[in-house]
């Protein structure tokens, strides 16, 4: 047992002496630590070890239509335009759709088709949770008016 203890002590002291020697070899400097410089160096180093840049994801953008004017010659179209304001967040000003919202293009679509979809969503025949709060309170006249307005927007 004593032998073991003596052996352990000598090993530990040997390690201690060796590490002291290593400590001596390390250069000591009184230079002020500069965080800014360290950060710069780190950025440089990081840039050097990561030469391959991540490729930007290419998302197809909906074509932008500008300067579209729908002639609001009936009360229905006027009401439709007014009500469509709520839909713009997702479907875009010209009904061009928005990738980020996963909302399809509806501008220029047939009015009867648009109407049917919204009616079906209201009834729950076609499930669309995202849109539900926006169409819940629309009357059938409102839906018909919005559809008429959206159908007048350009398809392209
Ligand atoms: C919160 C975002 C959002 C809002 C606001 C919104 N929609 Fe939608 N709409 C969607 C999404 C998402 C879909 C696609 C659902 C699907 O894939 O079934 C959709 C689908 C539709 C469709 C079916 C299109 C097709 O080709 O079948 C019509 C019509 C429609 N929306 C009309 C409207 C109208 C009118 C309003 C305004 C009262 C409106 N939306 C507001 C998100 C929205």
């Amino acid at each position: 047992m004593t032998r073991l203890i003596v052996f352990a002590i000598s090993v530990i002291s040997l390690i201690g002496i060796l590490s002291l020697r290593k400590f001596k070899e390390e250069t000591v400097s009184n230079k002020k630590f500069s965080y800014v410089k360290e950060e710069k160096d780190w950025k440089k180093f990081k840039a050097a070890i990561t030469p391959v840049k991540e490729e930007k994801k290419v998302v197809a953008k909906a074509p932008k239509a500008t300067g579209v004017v729908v002639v609001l010659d009936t009360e229905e179209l006027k009401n439709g335009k007014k009500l469509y304001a709520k839909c713009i967040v997702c479907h875009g000003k010209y009904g061009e759709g928005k990738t980020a919202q996963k909302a399809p293009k509806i501008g220029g679509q047939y009015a009867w088709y648009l109407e049917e979809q919204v009616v079906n969503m209201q009834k729950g025949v076609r499930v669309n949770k995202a849109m539900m709060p926006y169409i819940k309170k629309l009357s059938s006249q409102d839906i018909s008016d919005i559809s008429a307005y959206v159908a007048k927007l350009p398809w392209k």
Side-chain angles (χ1 to χ4, degrees), residues 87 90-91 101-102 104 113-114 121 126 128 130-131 134 146:
C87 321
C90 298
H91 290 284
Q101 300 283 354
K102 292 199 175 83
Y113 174 84
L114 297 169
M121 287 172 196
R126 176 172 174 178
N128 189 340
M131 248 175 73
Y134 298 87
I146 298 184

Side-chain angles (χ1 to χ4, degrees), residues 6 18 21 46 48-49 57 72 90 101 140 144 146 150:
V6 169
L18 284 176
R21 269 183 58 187
K46 229 172 124 188
I49 58 168
K57 233 179 159 185
L72 305 171
C90 298
Q101 300 283 354
S140 51
S144 152
I146 298 184
V150 175

